[in-house]
Amino acid sequence: MSTEERNPDLVLDQILSEIRDEPIDPAVLESAAARVRTGLGQAAGVSLRVCADYRNLIPAWLDGSLPEARRLLVEDHTRECPACRKAFQAARAPKPVAIAAPKRSAFRERWAAWAMAAALLLAAGLGGLWLWNRYGGVPEGTRATLQTVDGTLVRAAADAPPVAPGAAFGERETFRTAKGSTAVVRLRDGSLVELAERTELSVSERREGATINLAGGRIIVQAAKQRSRHLYVATEDCTVSVTGTVFSVNHGVKGSRVAVIEGEVRVTQGNQTKVLRPGEQTSTSADLEPVAVRDEFAWSRNADTYFALLKEFSVLRGKLEAIPAPGLRYSSRLLDFVPEGTVFYAAVPNFGPNLAEGHRLFREQIQQSAVLRQWWKAQTKPGGGEPPLEEMIARLRSFSDYLGREIVLASAPNAKGEHQTPLVMAEVARGGFRAFLETEMAKTKGGAPVAIVEDAAQLPLSAGNGKRLFVLLRSGVVAASIDPAQLRKAAALIDRPGSGAFSKSPFRARIEEAYRAGAGWLFSADLQPMLAARRADETLRRAGVEGPRYLVVERKEVAGKTTNSAALTFAGARNGIASWLASPAPNRALDFVSPEASFAVGAVAKAPAQMLDDLMAMFSASNRDLPSRLHGFETLTGVGLRTDLAARLGGEMAFAVDGPLLPKPSWKLVLEVSDPAGLQAAIEKLTAVAGGQLRMEKLLVGGQTFYSLRGPQAGQEAHYVFSNGFLVAAPDRTLLTRALEVRQSGDSLPRSAKFIALLPRDSHVNFSGVLYYNAGAAGEVLSGLLPGGEKLSPEQRRAAATFAATPAAVVAYGEGDRIRVAAAGSGLFGWQPEHLLLAPKFRHPK
Amino acid sequence: MSATASSTVVDPAAGIESVFREHHQRVFRAAYRITGNATDAEDVLQSVFLRLLGRRPDAAPVINLACYLHRAAVNAALDLVRIRQHSLDLPADYAGPAPRRDPRESRLLLRQAIARLSPKAAEIFVLRYFEGYDNPEIAQMLGLSVSDVAVTLHRSRARLKEEICHEH
């Protein structure tokens, strides 16, 4: 595209002089003057000073006997004076008024056309017809049909008789429920409106959708799916716009209150619009206090039992969360007994007491709540029943009583490199364990295939058929495995702790490091042996993937807050792709993301130019001609990939979906830019080379230049803008403006309290990367997309929506020799009772 | 071109005919320059004189009829351009014209941009660049200081330059 570098002053002056020099045809001027003069000449004799004077003219104006001059003055006055304009319009009788006088010359064509149209429309005799033409066709027929009524529903006309189900209401026909009555009305599109007592409303419909005009009272709307139409609920002071949801509107003297159960609703009051999600509500007046969403629905005869259930679950969840988790462990005696060559080590806290307590609470809650009891009955097959579950838990409980604070699993590959079954170990905290085990084994039918020994010498040499479990009890430690060889190694270590090769290995050191920081649930793996096989792959090596040595995944609870984390430790300083994540630092790209974003990912990376170098190094190994092809591309376009593009970018970046998801997702991309002008020049060069495929446009609005790139087809477009050292891109300009506003106001995602609350608790002030999602109402949509989602019952679907709607944030830290990813968790090991609703019907083990 | 000022105290209603004869061309031209079309200019012409006619007897006497009419024309015309802008979908969603700007279009854009200035700045700008008054005259007409006028003009120019000088 050509850019004319013209001096703005010259341009401006040029246009100004063109305007000044525009010729005015004298004939045109004089004929205009003549028309005006005629009117004035007659108006001169008139004294019309105040509105009353004008209104005195209404009768004459109506029957067309007003002299030209006065009519002119009336026209002029009513244009300026709204009160008189209304007075004149109100006085218009529904019969043709010969305003369109043949003396066309006294009017301009425009006025004549208006007057003609007004006369025609009035001649039809109905103000409503004018509305018809303006809004382009209103559907025929009933607006609403009465489905059921519990009590009395009448049309608003005074003393109308009660209306029976099946009755139809027309456009704007008002009806209301009597005291103590409720009713359900069905709209043309299938939406259901439930009316509480003393509720009055009417329904009007236009091409673009239907409106429920709520004069007073309370309604609950179950809106049918609105494809291209809208459903509105209008009260005196606000308008609620709806797309497929369940919500309630309560309108009274003090204002309106809107509460949402399902879906998303927009409430417009004056010039402010609010979006409400499930569980949220708003009132139009400060005098109207918010009320628990449940209570807004409490009056409904069909109050959804789902809510009752949900409430029970949240109570249960509260109680479960109150159970303190087993404390953190800072060292482990069992580490000393881990055999050489172990590549996998896991330590889980002994949570027997917690499990028992949880079960106890569950039973207690079932006793107290009929709803829960009913649900539980429906879940478990009759006769299949509870006793086995109870028993199982009791046994587990007593078993765990004998053990120490943790249970350890260690696994090492055998000579062939295959993994073996884990060696399980625990400390024995109480005497009489052997006797207990033997009793338990006796209870099992047919005798359990378990062999208990206290001396390794008693172990057979081989595993036999692999079905026997060998248990060693020695020196206050219990170790079990199906492989006696493993046990033997363990026994040797139990006798002489710290003697094995494992005690000195770096893997053990890494595990100890995890303990020192406090261990809850700990899983760690030594990746070297696994990756050794793939060492030969050059690409991987250059990708830095060869580097990782240990993976440690943990879950722990600190002061009531649960954190899940995974850390990947490398052999030395990270290199290749692994090094792309920079050290924790503030990420200002996230400042362009609003707290209402449904999805956001942000990262602080190392310099993009270096990342490009890494990529080049990685791929050059396999594609030898890559450098020369790249060079060719750069010569052709005049744009150096590294020098003109990558070098001009900084390391802070963010991508978010921030705004409506339909019809197009409102994405935005934010990149740190060190040289905006240079980058823009490079982009322009690339666009020029792309020829017809890509078009760039610029728009200057309020001192900010907005760029847009459009592809050949409609809808393929992206807009971007440079602001404060960042490039911000989005599908349209409104989103860009919004992003700039977010940053300007400081009310952005990283500063919002709810985001900060989601971050895991640890010693870091900043993070290197973050992934955040808060699907909100979209959770329902997303749950439908789950595999097998169609098979979910509505209850399960809603539970899934709640689950998906829970906001979550996962955070990454790029530390010197490792990358750590962490997320806050909750519930009993991350499980919340609501998840039960998701599970297929619960079957008891036989 | 410079305007001549006649200082006579005049009762506009008496002898509207002669006032009209003397000043209608100037009013029409000023309105035309601002609105860009004859229909709107005629509209303004009518408004200005009707209002003159409709002035209450106890309103302040018009000292300088020419200036009064000139300013009235300018302001009425600017109002009209503003109103027209609101009823159309304009530059906010403007997709961009052809690469070579049509001069007529440039003038339209500038007119609209002028109307988007604050009413006072717009009036000052028009009086200076369309009607040819100089800064001291404008200052006197509007009851401002000369430096106020100069500063406002400078700012208006800067803003207009920005608005019209985006490229496509």
Side-chain angles (χ1 to χ4, degrees):
Chain A
M1 83 245 103
S2 60
T3 62
E4 289 179 291
E5 302 283 355
R6 289 161 72 192
N7 181 343
D9 274 303
L10 288 180
V11 174
L12 179 63
D13 289 332
Q14 164 83 7
I15 303 178
L16 287 171
S17 75
E18 279 172 23
I19 289 181
R20 278 195 298 270
D21 295 341
E22 263 181 53
I24 300 176
D25 182 355
V28 169
L29 199 161
E30 287 313 318
S31 64
R35 284 190 287 272
V36 174
R37 175 192 279 115
T38 322
L40 284 180
Q42 292 162 4
V46 162
S47 61
L48 290 173
R49 299 283 182 248
V50 292
C51 288
D53 293 335
Y54 285 95
R55 293 196 205 172
N56 288 339
L57 297 178
I58 289 185
W61 181 76
L62 280 176
D63 66 9
S65 63
L66 206 60
E68 193 79 17
R70 295 197 174 195
R71 195 162 27 81
L72 267 177
L73 286 167
V74 163
E75 303 286 0
D76 187 58
H77 178 77
T78 51
R79 221 183 322 162
E80 287 182 299
C81 172
C84 283
R85 188 161 58 232
K86 275 200 191 127
F88 274 79
Q89 280 173 356
R92 266 206 211 123
K95 67 178 198 281
V97 180
I99 294 180
K103 295 182 194 161
R104 278 288 197 85
S105 55
F107 287 86
R108 284 171 297 288
E109 282 69 24
R110 192 163 42 86
W111 280 105
W114 267 106
M116 190 64 89
L120 282 171
L121 290 167
L122 286 171
L126 284 167
L129 273 177
W130 187 64
L131 275 168
W132 265 84
N133 282 347
R134 237 183 104 169
Y135 292 116
V138 178
E140 280 287 345
T142 11
R143 298 291 180 249
T145 327
L146 180 61
Q147 292 259 60
T148 63
V149 64
D150 177 11
T152 318
L153 183 133
V154 296
R155 291 178 210 266
D159 300 332
V163 168
F169 303 102
E171 170 80 9
R172 287 199 179 257
E173 200 178 328
T174 316
F175 49 91
R176 64 165 177 269
T177 46
K179 182 164 158 60
S181 311
T182 62
V184 175
V185 159
R186 190 174 187 285
L187 302 183
R188 242 164 47 96
D189 64 357
S191 304
L192 292 175
V193 182
E194 192 178 350
L195 288 81
E197 62 164 354
R198 294 198 281 190
T199 297
E200 180 170 320
L201 64 91
S202 70
V203 180
S204 55
E205 223 178 292
R206 293 202 304 268
R207 193 179 39 186
E208 64 254 31
T211 306
I212 300 170
N213 305 293
L214 181 66
R218 315 164 82 152
I219 57 173
I220 293 182
V221 180
Q222 274 183 62
K225 224 167 188 44
Q226 303 291 322
R227 281 174 231 287
S228 55
R229 289 160 40 103
H230 281 277
L231 180 62
Y232 297 102
V233 176
T235 66
E236 265 175 347
D237 53 0
C238 71
T239 308
V240 181
S241 127
V242 165
T243 33
T245 66
V246 180
F247 66 101
S248 99
V249 182
N250 184 349
H251 178 66
V253 167
K254 287 211 285 189
S256 305
R257 187 162 57 211
V258 182
V260 179
I261 285 194
E262 203 179 283
E264 185 184 286
V265 145
R266 261 163 227 282
V267 180
T268 305
Q269 183 190 1
N271 59 357
Q272 284 195 321
T273 306
K274 239 177 166 164
V275 175
L276 296 182
R277 302 257 155 73
E280 290 182 3
Q281 57 165 309
T282 185
S283 20
T284 58
S285 138
D287 291 336
L288 208 50
E289 277 182 353
V291 146
V293 171
R294 279 205 66 226
D295 292 344
E296 281 292 278
F297 294 84
W299 60 267
S300 165
R301 286 191 320 132
N302 304 321
D304 203 346
T305 46
Y306 172 71
F307 282 99
L309 205 59
L310 204 56
K311 177 173 174 242
E312 294 303 330
F313 277 129
S314 63
V315 168
L316 184 62
R317 176 168 25 116
K319 290 191 179 168
L320 288 173
E321 279 180 350
I323 304 173
L328 298 178
R329 308 177 302 284
Y330 295 92
S331 66
S332 171
R333 193 181 150 213
L334 298 165
L335 254 185
D336 287 334
F337 312 139
V338 173
E340 175 184 349
T342 297
V343 293
F344 179 76
Y345 174 92
V348 302
N350 180 2
F351 57 90
N354 293 64
L355 189 61
E357 183 71 8
H359 184 247
R360 188 183 68 74
L361 285 173
F362 186 61
R363 296 229 48 83
E364 207 176 79
Q365 196 69 13
I366 287 191
Q367 297 289 10
Q368 289 172 2
S369 154
V371 172
L372 203 56
R373 199 163 41 235
Q374 216 171 16
W375 174 82
W376 182 244
K377 266 217 196 79
Q379 297 296 103
T380 61
K381 272 176 93 153
E386 279 112 291
L389 185 64
E390 296 273 336
E391 213 184 287
M392 212 170 68
I393 291 186
R395 283 169 90 173
L396 256 170
R397 173 68 197 266
S398 35
F399 188 76
S400 63
D401 269 349
Y402 284 96
L403 299 178
R405 297 185 63 204
E406 67 179 352
I407 298 161
V408 162
L409 285 80
S411 164
N414 65 12
K416 285 181 272 182
E418 294 155 18
H419 279 277
Q420 297 173 323
T421 46
L423 169 70
V424 181
M425 292 191 284
E427 291 183 273
V428 178
R430 274 170 49 186
F433 189 46
R434 176 157 194 163
F436 170 78
L437 276 181
E438 282 165 346
T439 326
E440 288 300 312
M441 273 161 20
K443 283 191 201 158
T444 327
K445 294 187 216 136
V450 177
I452 306 177
V453 301
E454 294 185 8
D455 188 337
Q458 294 163 359
L459 290 170
L461 286 171
S462 77
N465 61 0
K467 289 214 168 83
R468 274 180 98 188
L469 181 69
F470 298 95
V471 178
L472 174 73
L473 287 170
R474 197 174 173 82
S475 310
V477 175
V478 55
S481 173
I482 59 171
D483 181 1
Q486 267 194 324
L487 271 184
R488 252 195 288 276
K489 284 193 212 161
L493 289 169
I494 291 174
D495 288 339
R496 282 195 313 280
S499 61
F502 185 76
S503 346
K504 300 174 194 59
S505 65
F507 186 37
R508 184 211 158 105
R510 178 69 188 87
I511 298 173
E512 271 182 333
E513 195 189 322
Y515 270 106
R516 275 198 296 273
W521 293 63
L522 175 67
F523 304 87
S524 54
D526 184 348
L527 300 170
Q528 286 285 306
M530 266 194 274
L531 294 175
R534 313 202 60 191
R535 207 169 296 232
D537 195 321
E538 189 72 0
T539 312
L540 279 182
R541 181 174 82 75
R542 294 198 183 192
V545 171
E546 184 227 41
R549 300 202 68 176
Y550 309 113
L551 175 67
V552 176
V553 177
E554 294 183 79
R555 181 189 175 88
K556 59 177 117 169
E557 191 178 304
V558 179
K561 212 172 169 198
T562 312
T563 309
N564 306 307
S565 70
L568 193 62
T569 308
F570 294 84
R574 295 178 280 138
N575 64 355
I577 295 188
S579 68
W580 285 10
L581 196 64
S583 308
N587 184 351
R588 294 163 302 145
L590 287 171
D591 283 337
F592 290 92
V593 180
S594 84
E596 286 83 34
S598 28
F599 173 82
V601 57
V604 179
K606 74 178 189 186
Q610 290 173 0
M611 292 203 281
L612 192 63
D613 290 341
D614 289 338
L615 271 176
M616 289 296 295
M618 244 169 76
F619 290 115
S620 303
S622 34
N623 303 322
R624 303 244 164 240
D625 60 341
L626 185 62
S628 59
R629 290 213 333 237
L630 187 62
H631 184 71
F633 173 79
E634 291 182 347
T635 320
L636 173 68
T637 56
V639 171
L641 215 52
R642 192 186 195 284
T643 47
D644 291 331
L645 291 176
R648 296 199 161 118
L649 296 174
E652 293 170 29
M653 54 189 71
F655 175 82
V657 175
D658 191 357
L661 286 171
L662 304 168
K664 279 190 307 180
S666 311
W667 57 267
K668 71 174 81 150
L669 176 69
V670 183
L671 299 172
E672 188 183 5
V673 180
S674 54
D675 179 5
L679 187 65
Q680 175 59 20
I683 297 176
E684 282 177 11
K685 281 193 209 161
L686 286 173
T687 320
V689 168
Q693 293 305 317
L694 210 56
R695 252 188 323 136
M696 172 174 300
E697 286 162 10
K698 301 184 199 181
L699 190 66
L700 180 65
V701 176
Q704 186 90 33
T705 309
F706 289 83
Y707 301 92
S708 64
L709 289 170
R710 289 170 208 268
Q713 289 170 339
Q716 287 176 344
E717 56 185 88
H719 298 248
Y720 64 92
V721 69
F722 292 101
S723 163
N724 295 92
F726 287 90
L727 177 146
V728 185
D732 64 58
R733 242 193 38 245
T734 328
L735 289 172
L736 282 181
T737 320
R738 177 93 187 93
L740 296 177
E741 280 168 13
V742 167
R743 188 182 171 285
Q744 187 78 350
S745 67
D747 183 20
S748 59
L749 183 67
R751 291 176 223 276
S752 76
K754 77 178 170 191
F755 174 76
I756 294 175
L758 286 175
L759 298 179
R761 166 183 296 212
D762 56 28
S763 54
H764 286 275
V765 169
N766 288 312
F767 40 78
S768 307
V770 65
L771 187 133
Y772 163 86
Y773 86 91
N774 182 2
E780 173 97 19
V781 171
L782 292 175
S783 69
L785 296 173
L786 284 175
E790 325 77 53
K791 304 206 196 78
L792 294 177
S793 72
E795 264 181 20
Q796 288 176 326
R797 204 179 264 280
R798 261 172 266 169
T802 318
F803 176 49
T806 317
V810 177
V811 156
Y813 304 101
E815 297 157 18
D817 66 340
R818 68 191 64 175
I819 295 177
R820 209 163 70 84
V821 173
S826 66
L828 195 61
F829 313 128
W831 173 85
Q832 285 162 338
E834 287 90 339
H835 295 179
L836 273 181
L837 286 175
L838 269 181
K841 297 287 187 201
F842 189 69
R843 296 261 179 277
H844 275 288
K846 301 279 185 331
Chain B
M1 60 184 168
S2 70
T4 52
S6 59
S7 20
T8 30
V9 179
V10 150
D11 174 14
I16 186 82
E17 178 62 36
S18 61
V19 168
F20 187 86
R21 237 196 333 264
E22 192 181 330
H23 295 283
H24 76 274
Q25 289 206 358
R26 170 176 296 137
V27 169
F28 189 90
R29 289 216 166 87
Y32 187 92
R33 276 190 280 269
I34 294 173
T35 60
N37 71 87
T39 312
D40 286 346
E42 182 175 335
D43 210 348
V44 170
L45 182 66
Q46 172 171 285
S47 290
V48 165
F49 279 95
L50 275 181
R51 281 177 205 163
L52 192 60
L53 216 55
R55 280 166 58 82
R56 302 167 70 95
D58 53 348
V62 175
I63 302 207
N64 184 331
L65 197 58
C67 289
Y68 171 85
L69 285 172
H70 225 155
R71 285 190 65 196
V74 163
N75 285 317
L78 285 170
D79 278 341
L80 200 54
V81 177
R82 277 184 206 114
I83 289 173
R84 294 259 180 273
Q85 279 193 69
H86 278 303
S87 56
L88 297 173
D89 249 10
L90 276 185
D93 297 318
Y94 194 42
R100 270 247 159 247
R101 191 93 57 77
D102 171 17
R104 273 216 58 154
E105 205 153 18
S106 311
R107 298 201 283 272
L108 170 68
L109 288 177
L110 181 63
R111 286 183 164 113
Q112 287 166 346
I114 291 172
R116 282 198 293 273
L117 296 171
S118 80
K120 183 172 276 179
E123 187 183 353
I124 293 177
F125 188 88
V126 165
L127 288 173
R128 170 90 165 81
Y129 288 104
F130 291 172
E131 301 308 307
Y133 289 98
D134 57 27
N135 288 6
E137 283 173 322
I138 297 175
Q140 193 193 31
M141 279 164 73
L142 268 61
L144 299 169
S145 73
V146 180
S147 61
D148 279 347
V149 171
V151 166
T152 310
L153 274 176
H154 179 77
R155 286 201 190 124
S156 304
R157 266 191 78 97
R159 168 117 173 244
L160 290 171
K161 277 189 293 190
E162 224 182 73
E163 292 220 33
I164 56 147
C165 277
H166 56 273
E167 293 138 291
H168 297 267

